Amino acid sequence: MLVLPGPGTGGATAEALSVCQGRPTKTVSFATGELRLYRTRHYVCAVTVAKRPGTRRPMSVSLQPRGGRPAVRAGRFDRQAGPVTVHALNRCVRASGWVAGRGVNTGWTLC
């Protein structure tokens, strides 16, 4: 039998419920949400999380390794966009996250 935490579970945080593997590396806040980056030895993962989850709105997350193609997840979501993961061993990445028309670009980071 598999038991999953449901709504109202005490002590569960958004950080603990992340779907990205690796350690939290960088969090960039903006007016309507946060862009969270996670890193393992070989991969970088990104998620955009809305500050006020609940209503479906346009959201996106993009992650691009230097010299590679971007991985993008966009659509209408109620809580988060993503995750997106790219192979980034010894490479910088560029990330962006948007919620309801407002967002952030990191520029080249995690070099």
Side-chain angles (χ1 to χ4, degrees):
M1 183 167 144
L2 177 64
V3 178
L4 298 173
T9 305
T13 65
E15 205 65 43
L17 298 175
S18 174
V19 291
C20 284
Q21 293 186 357
R23 68 183 190 280
T25 305
K26 187 173 196 169
T27 300
V28 183
S29 293
F30 53 95
T32 55
E34 287 183 342
L35 173 64
R36 298 177 183 169
L37 299 175
Y38 300 83
R39 178 175 216 136
T40 64
R41 179 159 160 47
H42 296 280
Y43 294 92
V44 175
C45 180
V47 175
T48 299
V49 180
K51 279 193 179 172
R52 294 187 179 187
T55 59
R56 294 177 77 79
R57 68 198 97 169
M59 297 176 70
S60 71
V61 62
S62 172
L63 188 60
Q64 178 183 8
R66 189 175 295 242
R69 292 178 173 250
V72 179
R73 178 75 193 255
R76 295 182 63 83
F77 304 102
D78 57 357
R79 184 178 168 278
Q80 74 178 33
V84 293
T85 303
V86 296
H87 187 266
L89 179 63
N90 300 323
R91 296 199 290 184
C92 302
V93 295
R94 180 169 45 195
S96 66
W98 299 89
V99 177
R102 296 206 175 182
V104 67
N105 290 310
T106 63
W108 295 111
T109 187
L110 305 181
C111 297

